[in-house]
Amino acid sequence: MSTTTSHTPESEGPVEGPSRPVRLIQNEATTEIPVHLLFRDDPDPVSVPPKPAVVARRQGTGEQPRLRRPGPARARTVPQTDPGLAECPARVLPGIAGVLAGLGGVAGCLATSWWAGALPRFTVTALGLPGAADAGPGPAQWAAYAGAGALGALGFAGLARGTAGRACVLALFGRYQGTVRRTGLLWVNPLLRRRRVDVRLRHWRSEPMPAADGHGVALRVVVLVVWRVRDTARAVLGVADHEAYLRDCVEAALARVPVNMPGGARGAVDAAGEALTRLVAADAVGIGLEVFSVQPVRAEYAPEVAAAMHRRRVAALDAQQRSSMLTSVVDSVEDTVTRLTMRGLVELDDYERKVLVRDLTVAFCSGRTESAP
């Protein structure tokens, strides 16, 4: 009679009876298993590497933990206009060039009229010009008229005046050509479309906008925004109305930043202003606006919660006043009893002390209540 022996792990010890396959997971206390055994599809046995990688699992269960790779932090997207759209100086000429061109066109028209004999005789005599054949204008004269007229029209029509604090955005058939920030008399191509932009430092006081405080109570807040146009190309051509866009950015920032009521902590008010400035500046930089400050100047409760918040505030003030009065009365009673006892004016047992404290408390409270407005 033969005896069949089977090889068992050392941790299990000798096992009597018929042989059975080796268990991969010995018991619920196992804390690690080889990775290659978890994802093996081939039923044939494979050799175990010398130092297999292991994956920990929860104590007492066969559930494998989910490995989460830390993903990249999502950055807040800022709206951007056409990346190729940026302010650049436009090509303009001094105004004297336009004046000379216009005067040259007028002189050319007069010369052509003399050539065609269309000038009156007294004008020719006054100018000291020789007489011309009175043959009337011909094809050559009409061509000269057209050239001189076009020169004069281009010269005078292209004159423009540049002023400090204002810029002029030029476009030809919808294509950006440049921005004029120069001052004085200039000559600009009359075929270009001109759009003036105020580039001075500006401030805008908003109308009451919806907001909320730190507890989510609805407010109406008026803010003061200090800003200016930095990139005229993006401000004029990158958005339909940059002032309306700025108002929308301020309203969106108020929806994300809690605003405290007036009379709160100074640090909280400054923090709210800094947060609003940072958000609005980040949203407006994409359209060429530079925001310096966004500060709440007035805040009040929304009409739907104003009455309830007023009652709540009055109740809080009343409770605070009562607490202050009670503290003052208790301090006065304690001081009075202590002085009477320490100076030996009276000798009180516990019962008499309680009665004295009660009477003094009632007297002080009555006096404070009558003296209060």
Side-chain angles (χ1 to χ4, degrees):
M1 183 174 180
S2 62
T3 305
T4 304
T5 61
S6 60
H7 179 72
T8 60
E10 297 178 0
S11 59
E12 291 291 331
V15 179
E16 297 180 359
S19 62
R20 57 180 179 179
V22 180
R23 291 179 295 174
L24 298 179
I25 302 178
Q26 300 177 4
N27 51 43
E28 295 183 352
T30 303
T31 58
E32 59 183 26
I33 55 178
V35 173
H36 71 283
L37 296 181
L38 294 177
F39 306 100
R40 182 167 60 89
D41 295 333
D42 188 7
D44 297 335
V46 295
S47 60
V48 180
K51 294 182 179 181
V54 295
V55 178
R57 66 182 180 89
R58 297 182 182 179
Q59 183 75 16
T61 63
E63 179 182 358
Q64 298 298 326
R66 296 181 180 179
L67 302 179
R68 296 182 179 179
R69 297 181 179 179
R74 293 186 178 181
R76 182 170 171 268
T77 58
V78 178
Q80 297 288 341
T81 57
D82 185 2
L85 186 63
E87 180 179 334
C88 62
R91 298 179 180 178
V92 295
L93 298 177
I96 188 64
V99 173
L100 293 179
L103 294 178
V106 172
C109 290
L110 293 176
T112 304
S113 299
W114 169 80
W115 181 22
L119 286 178
R121 292 186 180 278
F122 69 88
T123 304
V124 175
T125 304
L127 295 176
L129 298 176
D134 192 5
Q141 286 80 7
W142 286 117
Y145 270 126
L151 179 62
L154 290 176
F156 288 124
L159 293 177
R161 184 184 63 178
T163 57
R166 292 185 177 273
C168 188
V169 178
L170 306 180
L172 179 63
F173 305 118
R175 184 176 182 181
Y176 175 65
Q177 298 297 320
T179 301
V180 179
R181 288 182 178 261
R182 297 169 55 181
T183 59
L185 187 63
L186 307 171
W187 184 86
V188 182
N189 187 350
L191 299 179
L192 299 177
R193 183 185 178 185
R194 309 172 190 177
R195 301 179 64 176
R196 293 190 174 275
V197 185
D198 191 346
V199 295
R200 296 173 294 182
L201 186 65
R202 304 168 64 182
H203 70 278
W204 168 59
R205 186 185 179 95
S206 71
E207 65 280 1
M209 292 184 172
D213 62 3
H215 302 285
V217 180
L219 302 176
R220 291 293 183 270
V221 180
V222 176
V223 297
L224 181 65
V225 184
V226 181
W227 64 285
R228 71 175 179 181
V229 176
R230 185 173 184 178
D231 192 318
T232 56
R234 292 185 177 182
V236 175
L237 304 177
V239 67
D241 187 351
H242 59 275
E243 295 184 2
Y245 182 85
L246 180 62
R247 289 194 296 268
D248 295 340
C249 290
V250 172
E251 188 172 359
L254 284 174
R256 289 178 285 178
V257 176
V259 179
N260 293 334
M261 289 291 294
R266 183 63 183 175
V269 176
D270 295 340
E274 293 177 0
L276 289 173
T277 302
R278 183 173 60 254
L279 291 176
V280 176
D283 290 338
V285 69
I287 63 167
L289 301 184
E290 186 175 7
V291 179
F292 298 96
S293 174
V294 181
Q295 295 294 333
V297 295
R298 183 165 60 89
E300 58 186 11
Y301 290 112
E304 58 270 16
V305 299
M309 295 307 298
H310 178 70
R311 292 193 298 269
R312 179 179 177 182
R313 198 164 190 176
V314 170
L317 291 176
D318 184 65
Q320 183 179 3
Q321 183 179 4
R322 290 177 181 274
S323 176
S324 176
M325 184 183 66
L326 182 59
T327 302
S328 178
V329 168
V330 171
D331 292 340
S332 300
V333 171
E334 181 182 7
D335 184 61
T336 302
V337 174
T338 302
R339 288 187 178 183
L340 290 175
T341 305
M342 293 183 63
R343 293 184 181 182
L345 298 178
V346 292
E347 295 182 0
L348 304 173
D349 55 10
D350 292 341
Y351 177 76
E352 293 174 344
R353 183 184 298 272
K354 293 179 181 179
V355 173
L356 179 60
V357 169
R358 182 190 61 188
D359 295 340
L360 290 176
T361 303
V362 173
F364 286 150
C365 287
S366 301
R368 298 294 177 88
T369 306
E370 294 175 358
S371 62

